[in-house]
């Protein structure tokens, strides 16, 4: 699986958009970008995934650059409950669907 | 509906003892994964079961670790002769197979293992 690079930590004001970047410059053509988050003392939770088009669901939006070497997860109106570690993961069928979690970004939403 | 459940939620054991950790996946989910998360670390893949196929054991750190999945449902992770470095949160996840590339894995709350 391609390696991902994320900032260690980020802060965001409650009610503002949180933009979490991820670099995955070695991503291959058949690999997808997945985002999960882990709230303290809980198991990880799926957020969203994409291949090359931008995606949006009820939780977040995912913006993938045209060259697919980086992406940004956007939480449009962050709340205190969005404070968590956010993991950007690149995965394809060759990995057997296992998820390789890196260190992630600790997002802290401040009141 | 019920999510992934794991038991026990906490386990304290003495070095050298064997432990068994249980995972009940979501009904109908054919894929099951075990991960572990050491203090302050990211998640580490351990093993993957898919239906009746041979499990992918490539993430197991040593031969003291084993896992089985009976009847395509409940899974048990066994750690023999536990060591202090085995202390971690052990997470189980399940997934509906056949929906690639939609790799949404549903995680349980984990079992916190402490080896004294």
């Amino acid at each position: 699986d391609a390696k991902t690079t994320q900032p260690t930590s980020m802060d965001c004001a409650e009610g503002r958009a949180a933009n979490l970047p991820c670099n995955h410059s070695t991503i291959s053509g058949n690999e997808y970008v997945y985002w999960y988050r882990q709230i303290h003392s809980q198991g990880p939770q799926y957020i969203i995934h994409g291949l090359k088009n931008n995606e949006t669901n009820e939780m977040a939006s995912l913006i993938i650059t045209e060259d697919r070497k980086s992406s940004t997860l956007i939480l449009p109106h962050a709340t205190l409950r969005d404070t968590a570690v956010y993991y950007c993961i690149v995965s394809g069928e060759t990995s057997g669907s296992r998820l390789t979690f890196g260190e992630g970004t600790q997002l802290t939403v401040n009141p | 509906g019920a999510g992934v459940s794991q038991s026990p939620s906490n386990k304290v054991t003495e070095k050298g003892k064997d432990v068994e950790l249980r995972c009940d996946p979501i009904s109908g989910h054919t894929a099951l994964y075990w991960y572990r998360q050491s203090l302050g670390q990211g998640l580490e893949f351990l093993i993957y079961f898919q239906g009746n196929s041979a499990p992918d054991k490539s993430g197991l750190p040593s031969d003291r670790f084993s896992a089985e999945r009976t009847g395509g449902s409940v899974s048990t992770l066994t750690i023999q002769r536990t060591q202090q470095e085995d202390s971690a949160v052990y997470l189980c996840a399940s997934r509906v197979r056949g929906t690639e590339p939609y790799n949404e894995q549903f995680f349980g709350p984990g079992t916190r293992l402490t080896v004294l």
Side-chain angles (χ1 to χ4, degrees), chain B residues 11-89:
Chain B
K11 177 71 176 179
V12 180
T13 190
E14 295 179 348
K15 178 181 174 181
K17 300 284 189 181
D18 297 351
V19 296
E20 285 190 352
L21 312 180
R22 177 188 169 102
C23 171
D24 283 86
I26 293 173
S27 177
H29 283 196
T30 58
L32 187 148
Y33 306 77
W34 283 96
Y35 297 84
R36 75 174 175 181
Q37 187 169 32
S38 302
L39 186 62
Q41 303 294 314
L43 279 80
E44 173 189 6
F45 165 80
L46 296 177
I47 189 169
Y48 161 53
F49 294 91
Q50 171 48 48
N52 295 321
S53 302
D56 175 358
K57 304 178 182 180
S58 60
L60 295 178
S62 78
D63 58 8
R64 296 186 295 105
F65 287 73
S66 63
E68 62 177 20
R69 189 179 184 192
T70 55
S73 181
V74 172
S75 177
T76 302
L77 177 69
T78 301
I79 308 173
Q80 295 178 311
R81 305 180 302 281
T82 53
Q83 303 294 313
Q84 289 183 331
E85 60 263 29
D86 299 334
S87 295
V89 175

Side-chain angles (χ1 to χ4, degrees), chain A residues 8-35:
Chain A
T8 301
S9 63
M10 294 183 65
D11 284 90
C12 176
E14 187 177 19
R16 306 298 293 267
N19 297 282
L20 292 89
C22 179
N23 288 322
H24 33 77
S25 59
T26 61
I27 191 170
S28 63
N30 62 351
E31 289 182 314
Y32 285 72
V33 179
Y34 296 86
W35 284 83

Side-chain angles (χ1 to χ4, degrees), chain A residues 94-107:
Chain A
T94 55
S95 65
S97 301
R98 73 174 65 177
L99 297 174
T100 301
F101 289 80
E103 298 302 317
T105 296
Q106 170 65 59
L107 173 70

Side-chain angles (χ1 to χ4, degrees), chain A residues 40-87:
Chain A
H40 184 61
S41 297
Q42 297 182 21
Q45 175 191 25
Y46 166 88
I47 302 173
I48 198 168
H49 80 282
L51 181 62
K52 55 183 179 181
N53 297 321
N54 297 336
E55 302 288 345
T56 296
N57 63 20
E58 64 277 7
M59 290 183 67
S61 294
L62 175 61
I63 308 298
I64 302 174
T65 58
E66 190 170 347
D67 63 8
R68 302 210 321 126
K69 292 184 177 182
S70 65
S71 61
T72 301
L73 178 74
I74 301 172
L75 307 179
H77 307 287
T79 70
L80 299 179
R81 289 173 296 180
D82 292 322
T83 292
V85 178
Y86 286 76
Y87 296 99

